[in-house]
Amino acid sequence: MKTSTIALLAIIGTAAAGKPQLSINVQDGKFDDLEGLDPTLTWSDSTAAGDFNIEYGIEAAAKPTSDLASLPKKIWGKLSTDGSGWGVSARADFDGVEFSKADIEIDATNDEADIDIHIEASASQGFSVNKVEATIEIDATNDEADIDIHIEASASEGFSVNKVEATKSLDSDGATITINPRYDVDTEEADIVVAYSKDDTSVEITASQDAQSVTFSQQIDDDNRVSPTLASSGDISLEWERSLGDGNSLTATLKPNESIDVEWEDDSWTANINIPIDGTDVTGTNVSIKREVNF
């Protein structure tokens, strides 16, 4: 006798007080049965034991079956604690119920020193470290001059600066102007972002040597905002956001000859629709629907 999807929800729901989330996906607008919708149930919860915080969760297929062991896609657990200015956490991810091997991530953060250490490891027949990286952030701020300087660096096989940027803010005739030059050391790419904001209107210009774009944003009324973006490549996009009240919203983005994207947030529901387009032809529809499930 097959176990129903409702029974699966009930089993996980009564196991703990956390709220499960059910998501359904449709790729290219095609599905033959319940499996074609790829219904997935995700659930997580947390507790504390002394100075340690414990988090855990599961991602499982929500489909009728008599083999419950085949439903989990991923099971994970995370242990974290703070001490001596450091926040340390360790997380293990298992594929399904295959507990003989795990992917492990260890992170240590010192906010005062702006240092992050990240370790990736795997455990199967033995324990092996795959990657060790330390990230250092350096910030300098002059409040009087409204200037911020931000530097990101990493230490893996050696010490290297990854990113440098500065931000300058100006107030002029009731408007706020922000100038943000950025440089990515790894890609050797530099650009500058200039933003202007006054009342219900804002303009943002992003320019590099190879590409430039400008985004205009206009708050039409209390509930509607429109933001067209023009790029030097000839690409155009138009975003419309409507507030539905109580923190709910509907956002639609049109990119001609590319896609139409719609995101609808309504209470515990979140729906995302992606429609690839080629001229006036619709080449497929991808739908993702998520909802918190209460028991």
Side-chain angles (χ1 to χ4, degrees):
M1 178 178 179
K2 290 189 175 181
T3 303
S4 68
T5 303
I6 298 299
L8 173 64
L9 296 177
I11 291 171
I12 296 181
T14 54
K19 292 182 179 180
Q21 185 180 82
L22 179 65
S23 64
I24 296 176
N25 297 282
V26 178
Q27 297 294 327
D28 298 326
K30 300 176 182 178
F31 62 91
D32 298 324
D33 51 24
L34 184 62
E35 283 195 34
L37 290 171
D38 189 26
T40 302
L41 186 73
T42 57
W43 168 84
S44 63
D45 204 355
S46 62
T47 187
D51 295 331
F52 293 92
N53 295 318
I54 303 171
E55 300 171 65
Y56 45 91
I58 183 173
E59 179 180 316
K63 60 183 180 181
T65 181
S66 58
D67 183 11
L68 289 179
S70 68
L71 294 178
K73 297 180 179 180
K74 182 172 71 174
I75 298 174
W76 61 272
K78 182 179 179 180
L79 182 69
S80 58
T81 188
D82 295 309
S84 301
W86 287 89
V88 181
S89 67
R91 171 173 171 144
D93 287 75
F94 302 90
D95 288 331
V97 292
E98 180 58 57
F99 297 118
S100 62
K101 56 183 179 180
D103 293 324
I104 299 171
E105 292 187 1
I106 301 172
D107 290 281
T109 301
N110 189 312
D111 292 331
E112 185 176 347
D114 276 332
I115 298 176
D116 296 316
I117 298 175
H118 179 71
I119 300 174
E120 296 179 7
S122 58
S124 181
Q125 296 179 346
F127 183 85
S128 60
V129 176
N130 305 322
K131 181 180 179 181
V132 178
E133 183 178 51
T135 302
I136 302 171
E137 296 187 4
I138 303 171
D139 292 284
T141 301
N142 187 315
D143 292 331
E144 184 176 348
D146 273 334
I147 297 177
D148 296 319
I149 298 175
H150 179 74
I151 300 173
E152 294 181 8
S154 63
S156 181
E157 296 179 352
F159 182 85
S160 62
V161 176
N162 304 324
K163 184 179 180 181
V164 179
E165 65 177 275
T167 304
K168 168 68 176 177
S169 297
L170 304 168
D171 291 324
S172 175
D173 193 25
T176 300
I177 302 172
T178 303
I179 303 171
N180 177 209
R182 306 179 297 189
Y183 181 68
D184 190 312
V185 178
D186 292 335
T187 61
E188 297 184 349
E189 293 181 352
D191 67 1
I192 184 170
V193 180
V194 180
Y196 170 93
S197 177
K198 183 177 182 181
D199 298 329
D200 295 330
T201 303
S202 64
V203 181
E204 183 176 281
I205 300 172
T206 302
S208 67
Q209 184 176 357
D210 301 321
Q212 301 80 40
S213 67
V214 56
T215 298
F216 302 90
S217 181
Q218 179 67 47
Q219 191 74 36
I220 299 173
D221 53 34
D222 291 340
D223 298 326
N224 294 278
R225 179 181 60 83
V226 176
S227 303
T229 298
L230 309 174
S232 59
S233 61
D235 293 337
I236 301 174
S237 67
L238 177 62
E239 180 181 279
W240 167 58
E241 181 180 359
R242 177 173 176 78
S243 172
L244 303 177
D246 297 326
N248 303 319
S249 64
L250 178 67
T251 304
T253 304
L254 169 64
K255 298 178 181 178
N257 294 319
E258 185 176 334
S259 66
I260 299 174
D261 294 282
V262 178
E263 181 177 82
W264 178 18
E265 295 185 359
D266 188 359
D267 194 21
S268 56
W269 287 92
T270 300
N272 291 92
I273 303 173
N274 169 260
I275 306 174
I277 56 175
D278 184 5
T280 57
D281 296 328
V282 176
T283 59
T285 301
N286 305 312
V287 181
S288 173
I289 301 174
K290 297 181 180 179
R291 174 179 167 78
E292 285 188 347
V293 183
N294 297 308
F295 297 93

